[in-house]
């Protein structure tokens, strides 16, 4: 019998706040609720207005709730990676049980051991991503449970972020009446979802071009190895169009969406449109080729900045190329321009689920997938706990399938501990 688990993700972006309600059954996702609301309180990935952000979150939650007729209680939260720092960590423990079989408990203890690394007071732990386990010097183990050994090691990556940034996001989520189930940095969720296993192994960059920022996630040898955020995104393109065409911002945004093209060589001279001029009743006529030059200049600059980031991050070779996603990835001609400047293979990524077939939803879908995969790994799926905590059902349906609540195997796991830390903040 298949059981389905409900997950709600919250992606607070600088253009819009997205809320997705997903039903996971047999490892496949069904998106049953979507909320998407313009965000007013975020600039370049950082919250600048708490009240406005809270309102946007509430509205997005409300939209998604209406689609399923249930109220949302807990969310998987994606936070910007602006101030995120990734560093390698290692945990070592002696296997606990008498028969030396490695259990959930050992997995928890080794994660905990990796955490003892001192975190500066202005930073907060977000995630520990295990990369490999080593049992008595035998490495590259994905899941050591059930194996026999004396010494268990875990090599992984620790993600920390600025306390200030994190606490402001948490304050908004709390004031929107939501609790947090898990937190991940956005590029981890987006990249883990958008890249194929091969791409992650070979070395590939996932580039999420949003409204106010562009996030880069580098995956090598199967893992997220570096991440960085450039404070340039689609909103800059809109602003450029607004200034140069002397048209209001909302008109510039509309023109970008309807006629925008990133690659001058491929843009059309025949696609002609009228543009209202600020402060007058008149309009001016432009064609796609003309505006593609304006758009291209800004995006060329962005791709140059991306190359600088690759250099700064020490990324010399990307055999898997680049995967583009985020709202701006829908712009015509973007892959061509990216190929031209980055001089590597470029492909677009768009989620394939009904209701969210737009690259702007990659992070939100990725958050659900990532949280689910972690729950599967840590044995939290199928116990009914995830569904019970993810969504508080307001009206019990008459024939709701009964789920047997089983005790959580690792009730005091690291994830739980991290969550406690966030809960502490809410007290
Ligand atoms: N069809 C489209 N063509 C061109 N641009 C688009 C299209 N759809 C959305 N965009 C642009 O994508 C941007 C928003 O992308 P997205 O929703 O991924 O950003 P965000 O997650 O809110 O912001 P950020 O990630 O920077 O915090 C906006 O600049 C918007 O104009
Ligand atoms: Mg985004």
């Amino acid at each position: 019998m298949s059981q389905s688990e409900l997950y709600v993700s919250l992606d607070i972006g600088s253009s819009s706040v997205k809320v997705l309600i997903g039903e996971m059954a047999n490892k496949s996702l069904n998106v049953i609720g979507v909320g998407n609301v313009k965000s007013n309180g975020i600039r370049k990935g950082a919250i600048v207005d708490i009240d406005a952000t809270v309102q946007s979150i509430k509205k997005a939650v409300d939209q998604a709730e209406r689609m399923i007729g249930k109220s949302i209680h807990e969310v998987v939260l994606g936070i910007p990676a602006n101030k995120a720092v990734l560093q390698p960590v290692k945990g070592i423990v002696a296997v606990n049980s008498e028969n030396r079989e490695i259990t959930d408990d050992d997995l928890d203890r080794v994660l905990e051991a990796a955490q003892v690394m001192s975190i500066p007071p202005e930073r907060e732990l977000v995630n520990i991503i295990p990369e490999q386990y080593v049992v008595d010097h035998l490495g590259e183990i994905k899941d050591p449970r059930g194996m026999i050994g004396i010494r268990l090691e875990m090599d992984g990556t620790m993600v920390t972020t600025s306390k200030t940034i994190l606490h402001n996001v948490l304050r908004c989520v709390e004031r929107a009446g939501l609790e947090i189930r898990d937190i991940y940095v956005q590029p981890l969720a987006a990249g883990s979802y958008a890249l194929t296993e091969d791409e992650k192994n070979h070395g590939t960059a996932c580039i999420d071009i949003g409204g106010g920022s562009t996030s880069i996630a580098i995956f090598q040898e199967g893992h997220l190895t570096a991440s960085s955020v450039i404070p340039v995104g689609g909103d800059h393109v809109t602003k450029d169009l607004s200034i140069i065409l002397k048209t209001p911002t909302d008109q510039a945004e509309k023109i970008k969406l309807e006629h925008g093209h990133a690659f001058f060589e491929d843009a059309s001279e025949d696609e002609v449109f009228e543009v209202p001029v600020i402060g007058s009743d008149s309009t001016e006529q432009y064609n796609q080729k003309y505006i593609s030059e304006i758009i291209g200049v800004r995006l060329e600059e962005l791709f140059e900045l991306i190359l600088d980031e690759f250099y700064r991050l020490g990324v010399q070779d990307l055999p898997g190329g680049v995967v583009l996603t985020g709202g701006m990835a829908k712009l015509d001609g973007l892959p061509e321009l990216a190929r031209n400047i980055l001089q590597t293979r470029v492909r677009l990524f768009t989620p394939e689920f009904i209701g969210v077939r737009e690259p702007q939803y990659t992070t939100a879908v990725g958050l659900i997938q990532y949280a689910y995969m972690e729950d599967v790994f840590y044995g939290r799926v199928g116990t009914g706990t995830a569904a019970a905590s993810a969504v508080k059902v307001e009206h019990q349906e008459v024939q709701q399938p009964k789920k047997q609540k089983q005790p959580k195997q690792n009730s005091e796991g690291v994830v739980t501990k991290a969550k406690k830390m966030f809960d502490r903040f809410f007290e």
Side-chain angles (χ1 to χ4, degrees):
M1 286 277 277
S2 73
Q3 275 189 335
S4 66
E5 310 267 344
L6 287 180
Y7 287 80
V8 182
S9 64
L10 172 62
D11 173 20
I12 307 176
S14 46
S15 269
S16 66
V17 173
K18 292 135 192 127
V19 170
L20 297 190
I21 304 174
E23 200 173 32
M24 295 292 315
N26 294 330
K27 295 201 175 174
S28 69
L29 171 67
N30 187 12
V31 178
I32 55 173
V34 182
N36 189 337
V37 171
K38 194 175 172 331
S39 65
N40 295 316
I42 297 148
R43 298 273 175 285
K44 297 174 184 171
I47 288 166
V48 291
D49 184 333
I50 296 261
D51 285 338
T53 306
V54 171
Q55 287 314 314
S56 304
I57 296 173
K58 279 186 172 168
K59 271 193 210 161
V61 165
D62 193 54
Q63 277 183 5
E65 281 175 339
R66 277 164 201 268
M67 288 173 72
I68 64 161
K70 291 174 185 174
S71 81
I72 292 168
H73 180 54
E74 264 196 349
V75 292
V76 180
L77 175 67
I79 58 165
N82 299 40
K83 298 282 177 194
V85 172
L86 273 63
Q87 59 195 106
V89 282
K90 190 175 190 69
I92 306 174
V93 292
V95 176
N96 224 356
S97 62
E98 265 175 31
N99 65 0
R100 292 202 252 114
E101 181 182 327
I102 296 165
T103 63
D104 283 314
D105 176 56
D106 299 304
L107 229 60
D108 275 347
R109 288 190 308 114
V110 80
L111 268 176
E112 221 173 295
Q115 260 186 68
V116 297
M117 213 162 148
S118 64
I119 300 169
E122 75 283 1
R123 304 197 66 78
E124 196 91 83
L125 170 73
V126 186
N127 301 118
I128 288 191
I129 314 161
E131 277 153 25
Q132 68 156 352
Y133 293 92
V134 182
V135 178
D136 297 345
H137 305 291
L138 174 72
E140 292 187 38
I141 298 167
K142 289 270 173 247
D143 185 356
R145 283 170 296 189
M147 293 176 80
I148 306 292
I150 297 172
R151 174 191 162 107
L152 174 67
E153 296 169 52
M154 189 272 303
D155 294 315
T157 300
M158 176 160 85
V159 186
T160 61
T161 192
S162 139
K163 227 174 211 165
T164 315
I165 289 197
L166 180 64
H167 287 188
N168 281 322
V169 180
L170 295 181
R171 171 61 30 97
C172 291
V173 176
E174 178 204 23
R175 285 195 31 201
L178 299 167
E179 279 170 29
I180 290 165
R181 179 185 156 76
D182 289 304
I183 301 190
Y184 305 104
V185 281
Q186 290 159 350
L188 171 69
S192 301
Y193 169 46
L195 270 48
T196 64
E197 287 307 309
D198 277 345
E199 283 170 337
K200 285 179 210 166
N201 287 326
H202 295 165
T204 304
C206 178
I207 298 178
D208 174 339
I209 312 181
S213 59
T214 296
S215 309
I216 303 172
I218 310 286
F219 282 75
Q220 282 159 327
E221 290 173 22
H223 316 289
L224 177 70
T225 52
S227 136
S228 143
V229 179
I230 297 168
V232 175
D235 295 349
H236 295 77
V237 172
T238 304
K239 202 170 164 198
D240 293 345
L241 287 170
S242 163
I243 292 170
I244 296 169
L245 306 182
K246 298 185 185 60
T247 194
T249 310
D250 56 337
Q251 290 296 324
E253 174 75 12
K254 195 163 162 264
I255 291 157
K256 181 181 83 176
L257 300 188
E258 287 173 12
H259 307 287
H261 204 292
F263 200 49
F264 182 75
E265 276 83 342
D266 294 347
S268 152
E269 268 178 32
D270 303 331
E271 191 170 328
V272 180
F273 42 89
E274 299 288 328
V275 178
V277 179
I278 277 183
S280 80
D281 293 335
S282 63
T283 60
E284 286 271 352
Q285 206 179 57
Y286 294 100
N287 63 26
Q288 190 183 53
K289 201 150 192 98
Y290 183 82
I291 64 162
S292 79
E293 209 172 349
I294 304 169
I295 297 171
V297 167
R298 177 63 78 171
L299 293 176
E300 264 176 40
E301 182 205 22
L302 174 60
F303 287 120
E304 299 282 356
L305 291 171
I306 290 170
L307 281 176
D308 291 348
E309 278 309 294
F310 286 171
Y311 182 77
R312 196 182 64 81
L313 296 170
V315 178
Q316 285 165 349
D317 193 21
L318 287 172
V322 160
V323 176
L324 288 179
T325 195
M328 272 297 277
K330 257 200 118 175
L331 187 73
D332 284 343
L334 195 75
E336 289 75 12
L337 184 76
R339 255 173 234 130
N340 202 287
I341 297 176
L342 302 177
Q343 293 290 314
T344 185
R345 287 197 293 143
V346 174
R347 77 170 174 99
L348 284 188
F349 178 82
T350 304
E352 278 304 322
F353 301 104
I354 298 167
V356 291
R357 282 199 183 112
E358 300 246 1
Q360 59 166 314
Y361 288 114
T362 301
T363 302
V365 176
L367 285 166
I368 292 182
Q369 301 268 30
Y370 202 91
Y372 175 75
M373 292 317 285
E374 274 208 334
D375 283 352
V376 168
F377 186 80
Y378 290 109
R380 293 187 297 249
V381 163
T383 61
T385 51
S389 60
V391 171
K392 193 174 76 192
V393 181
E394 254 184 352
H395 311 287
Q396 281 282 330
E397 276 130 29
V398 188
Q399 282 199 325
Q400 245 214 329
K402 291 237 168 6
K403 281 177 187 155
Q404 284 293 312
K405 262 206 168 184
Q406 291 160 8
K408 251 180 152 181
Q409 283 174 332
N410 56 342
S411 56
E412 262 292 88
V414 161
V415 182
T416 322
K417 289 217 175 79
K419 198 175 155 324
K420 270 193 178 167
M421 176 196 77
F422 297 127
D423 288 347
R424 227 181 27 240
F425 171 79
F426 290 126
E427 278 159 12

